[in-house]
Structure formats: structure tokens, C-alpha cells
Amino acid sequence: MSARGRSYRYVGPVELKAAVRPGSGGCRISSAAEFGDWIAGRSAAELAEPFTFVVGVDGALRLAPRRSEHVACAGGALVLSAGEISFVREADRWAVSEVSNQSTGYCPDIGSWPEVARALDCVGLERPSSFTPEVVFRWCPGCQEHNIVREDDFVCVFCGSDLPEMWNVDPTA
């Protein structure tokens, strides 16, 4: 656990982490000016779909194109949260229209929301009050597969075992 909140290590396919190269992380955004410069360089096609994001252990938002892997966006490092984010232009400013914790590489708990909110507030972006949608991840102790829990059905889709109510995706945490 970091001083800011729980940190998440990458739990996805090892070959994706092995492909991460030094200096290849997402664009670090820690101010409104940095966000303004970054968003100005996005095409209409890019803005039409969500972006990949992580919040690094330094609390800063990092952004990358949607088809980027979260582990690449994070430069292979630990994160405080990860997911997908969309932006919309409202009058004369940008705002977050949707933000989820959908990252099957880091599987962050919905409790990581305060870190995302803090990072977005530092950038001066209007935002929702929580993830939209919230994705619930669990690791199955029976078959050792990662699951997305849907409709509060805490049953492993791979082996049918009951899944824990509390986040347990990283068994080393």
C-alpha cells in the first residue's frame, strides 16, 4: 500500500509486460496546461473513442490511445488505478464524460476511484462522481483465473467456484 492508496501491480499476460520499453509510457498529465496541449494534438477519430489511462504511484494521470495496453501506458510500473476514459467539450472547456476501471491487466478495485478523482481534479477536469461503469474484478482461488463479476454474481465463469466478496486479484498483495 502506498501513502496515497493501494497500488496495483500488473497481473496480465507476461508477454505484454515484456514488450514494454523504457520511456514508452503514456503521456504524463499533471496540469490543465499539459492536458490542453495533449488534447489539442488528438484527432477527431481519437476523440470519438475512449483513451487508456493509468494513475501512477506519483498520483499523476497518464494517457494513451485506446488500443494501448495499460502496462505500456504505465511503463510497466505499479499504478493507483487504470481504465478507460472519454472526454467531451463543454462550452469552452473539456470534461470527462465517462471513466471506468476497465483494465484486465491491472484489475483495479472500484475503491481506486479516489485516486482517479484526485488526478482529474489536479488537471482541472469536470468529472463524474464515480466510475461509469464500475468493473468488479476477482481472482478465483479454485482455478486461478481472473474474473469480471457481473450483476453481483460472485461465481467463477471458468470453474463455477464461489468468488470472494472482497478484492483479491493480486494474491501477493
Side-chain angles (χ1 to χ4, degrees):
M1 181 100 87
S2 77
R4 297 185 65 94
R6 170 188 282 156
S7 59
Y8 299 88
R9 74 179 178 94
Y10 180 72
V11 295
V14 294
E15 62 273 10
L16 295 180
K17 187 171 184 181
V20 175
R21 299 292 168 244
S24 65
C27 184
R28 186 177 189 280
I29 308 288
S30 58
S31 70
E34 288 175 349
F35 179 79
D37 291 344
W38 178 84
I39 199 81
R42 304 305 104 204
S43 69
E46 284 180 295
L47 291 169
E49 60 184 22
F51 293 92
T52 294
F53 84 88
V54 300
V55 176
V57 294
D58 61 356
L61 180 69
R62 287 173 177 74
L63 296 168
R66 181 179 194 190
R67 287 165 184 80
S68 301
E69 294 293 336
H70 289 97
V71 69
C73 186
L78 295 171
V79 300
L80 299 177
S81 192
E84 294 186 346
I85 191 166
S86 296
F87 303 101
V88 63
R89 184 83 174 161
E90 292 180 344
D92 63 341
R93 60 185 293 183
W94 287 95
V96 176
S97 57
E98 291 187 21
V99 57
S100 77
N101 60 318
Q102 176 73 41
S103 168
T104 57
Y106 284 99
C107 303
D109 189 35
I110 59 175
S112 67
W113 170 253
E115 301 299 340
V116 177
R118 197 172 358 263
L120 295 172
D121 290 349
C122 284
V123 176
L125 290 167
E126 290 292 319
R127 58 169 175 77
S129 59
S130 64
F131 287 122
T132 60
E134 295 178 336
V135 180
V136 177
F137 295 100
R138 293 297 183 271
W139 177 75
C140 178
C143 69
Q144 302 183 354
E145 291 289 342
H146 294 109
N147 284 257
I148 294 177
V149 175
R150 301 189 193 282
E151 300 175 3
D152 290 325
D153 186 16
F154 286 81
V155 175
C156 179
V157 297
F158 301 100
C159 74
S161 296
D162 288 338
L163 297 171
E165 293 282 326
M166 294 187 60
W167 185 89
N168 70 333
V169 171
D170 185 352
T172 66

